[in-house]
Amino acid sequence: MTAHNFDNIRNFSIVAHIDHGKSTLADRLIQFCGGLAEREMVEQVLDNMDIERERGITIKAQTVRLQYKAKNGNTYILNLMDTPGHVDFAYEVSRSLAACEGSLLVVDASQGVEAQTLANVYQALDAGHEIVPVLNKVDLPAAEPDRIKEQIEEVIGLDASDAVPISAKTGLNIEAVLEAIVEKLPSPKGDEKAPLKAMLVDSWYDAYLGVVVLVRVIDGVLKKGTPITMMGTGAQYHVDRIGVFSPKMTDLPQLGPGEVGFITAQIKQVSDTRVGDTITETKRECAEALPGFKPAQPVVFCGLFPVDAAQFEDLRAAMGKLRLNDASFSYEMETSAALGFGFRCGFLGLLHLEIIQERLSREFNLDLIATAPSVIYKLKLTDGSEIDLHNPADMPDVMKIEEIAEPWIRATIMTPDEYLGGILKLCQDRRGEQVDLNYVGKRAMVTYDLPLNEVVFDFYDRLKSISKGYASFDYHITEYRPGDLVKMSLLVNAEPVDALSMLVHRTRAEMRGRAMCEKLKDLIPQHLFQIPVQAAIGGKIIARETIRALRKDVTAKCYGGDISRKRKLLDKQKEGKKRMRQFGKVEIPQEAFIAALKMDS
């Protein structure tokens, strides 16, 4: 392709709710266009992390360049971006969309429109995309394509009369999708003669090539050997290698406007390549940078500690490596009296947290303990200053605090009608405020404002169990609101355990405290003396459980005789226990921490 013909390029992404078949559709498109030989074809070609395959979710966005010979005789170049569907990875979606001009909206013909379908479609519409609706799984007996078409029109307001009915699994009607892409989606625009302007869509670390950067060229031409500048960081590099994924890496001499491909330029650290940055030619810079993306803001924090303190250095190295491939994950060192040295880490949400933990234990063989997840609170102090609090253990003295504000989210929940009652009760219990409730066909769509710290714990799991897995949930952070929050500490044998302290709302403190004490009572082994387990707010104890002492039967050798002999022995034992109580240390096993942190019924 020497003379640059824009009309034959199509850049598109696939958006859908989790499990509606994005990755499978991508597989079929690759197969149809002959991107891979039959023997190289695996399920979910583009999900190349083990975790992605196992959980059946996409975490990292991927791209492929395909060639398709259309029915009108022209050959088209199709750049496909596979995007994640899960709410925690919404930022991955936003940047894939920014590199495309159109989207395929995949909707499951049996399930219909779900909460994240909406969130992702609105993102695509905001990016100015042309959208082609595709109904997947029409081969299932439960599929109702006509009803779902109406639903798409009703809920999203898209004309779905000519939505393409397909089955990504069996490959039914895949060619019709390709034809729709060619006919309905716009071709990219750009100026080949203008100074180079390219968007940095993603970057990752490769052991052989160093940092690989995924780019979308807007104007100008990117050639091998060109000196380039990253406009955001001002760093300068020489391009070594240019190419595209077809899904295999294929080298090319240059990339023109509208094309998507990768470059390597001897970049050492992924942190040097900011996602959303503009790449331009050093000698001939473009006038202004592209509007970047909002950087991914961590929402949930938790401490990660190695079970074996000797693994601390390994953990540090592992985190450095993960950070190479996941720019949205942040960490800093911290120490805890109960757990030793570890890191305080920031995540985009609970799924992100779970996946990072799993990758750490799996790819680096680490045994980890995670403390209770907490969110960022904004504290206004009496001297007028404001601080962000990531860790409840660092909370300043209550007298110095004027108010504590916590993050609130706007949650959209879609559920079949029969589970609505349970879901409304769950949201009410979590201090939610109902904003809106309306019906889409047989499904209810509820909008709630909820405090994030109530959602972080186990809201998602509870929602799924109440609705037998049918409800879907999507949220975004809206604002910080002052709340009546207190720090609850747990005392074991009158000593506070820092890893278990948490910020809770005053109205829920007693319930939480009681649950924690009951849990710890069963988890801490008995000692030779009584151990009180207490939950306290400031100096006020709000819940208590007592772990009974183990006792030896000292009177076993007395048979018959005077009661005073037995008394004497029992009193002697009591004296010993009293002394032991003062000097005895309570050992809390690691498992007790892990189990206590998982609590919430």
Side-chain angles (χ1 to χ4, degrees), residues 440-479:
V440 180
K442 292 182 186 152
R443 310 181 55 156
M445 185 165 126
V446 201
T447 314
Y448 254 94
D449 282 345
L450 288 153
L452 184 63
N453 75 348
E454 298 283 350
V455 175
V456 158
F457 247 167
D458 62 334
F459 181 81
Y460 196 61
D461 301 340
R462 308 268 320 168
L463 181 73
K464 287 290 186 202
S465 64
I466 288 172
S467 67
K468 304 204 168 42
Y470 282 113
S472 62
F473 164 67
D474 182 75
Y475 67 87
H476 57 268
I477 292 190
T478 46
E479 57 177 352

Side-chain angles (χ1 to χ4, degrees), residues 24 35-36 57 187 276 320 401-402 452 458 467 495 508 590 601:
T24 316
L36 288 173
I57 56 177
S187 55
I401 300 174
E402 199 170 300
L452 184 63
D458 62 334
S467 67
E495 283 179 22
R508 311 222 14 196
Q590 295 277 6
S601 51

Side-chain angles (χ1 to χ4, degrees), residues 487-506:
K487 175 178 166 185
M488 183 176 83
S489 11
L490 279 158
L491 309 170
V492 175
N493 202 12
E495 283 179 22
V497 182
D498 61 349
L500 296 178
S501 59
M502 56 171 100
L503 276 180
V504 287
H505 196 263
R506 202 180 291 275

